[in-house]
Amino acid sequence: MTGLSLIAAVTIGAVIGVAGRMLTARCRTVPVWLPPAAGVAAAVLATVLTRMAGVGDPGPTLVEFVLQVLFAVAGVTAVALTAERPGAPAPGKIR
């Protein structure tokens, strides 16, 4: 993994994470740091898997970029869907 690939992964993951946080701010209670962290982790995972598969040249490629975006969106979506809704009873509690 090159430094440029890592910088691209962190940037893509952070941007998608912040956008996901802004979209879910009113309907879900998610810590501010969690969607960007999930986006960055997923984008870095995509970079690692791309490098392990041997796809493309050294440095960022279109395939790597697309996988970073898809993984980051999937990671942020998973975080948003598993977050608690305000006013909903916590699991295991009876009203």
Side-chain angles (χ1 to χ4, degrees), residues 21-51:
R21 170 68 182 143
M22 289 171 38
L23 290 173
T24 62
R26 293 189 180 141
C27 61
R28 305 268 183 180
T29 56
V30 181
V32 173
W33 59 269
L34 191 55
V40 168
V44 169
L45 176 65
T47 300
V48 169
L49 292 177
T50 303
R51 294 292 166 210

Side-chain angles (χ1 to χ4, degrees), residues 31-84:
V32 173
W33 59 269
L34 191 55
V40 168
V44 169
L45 176 65
T47 300
V48 169
L49 292 177
T50 303
R51 294 292 166 210
M52 287 175 62
V55 177
D57 303 324
T61 61
L62 182 60
V63 172
E64 183 178 345
F65 175 75
V66 169
L67 285 176
Q68 286 174 350
V69 170
L70 292 176
F71 274 52
V73 167
V76 172
T77 301
V79 165
L81 290 178
T82 58
E84 219 176 276

Side-chain angles (χ1 to χ4, degrees), residues 2-21:
T2 64
L4 193 55
S5 293
L6 183 61
I7 291 170
V10 169
T11 304
I12 290 168
V15 167
I16 291 175
V18 168
R21 170 68 182 143

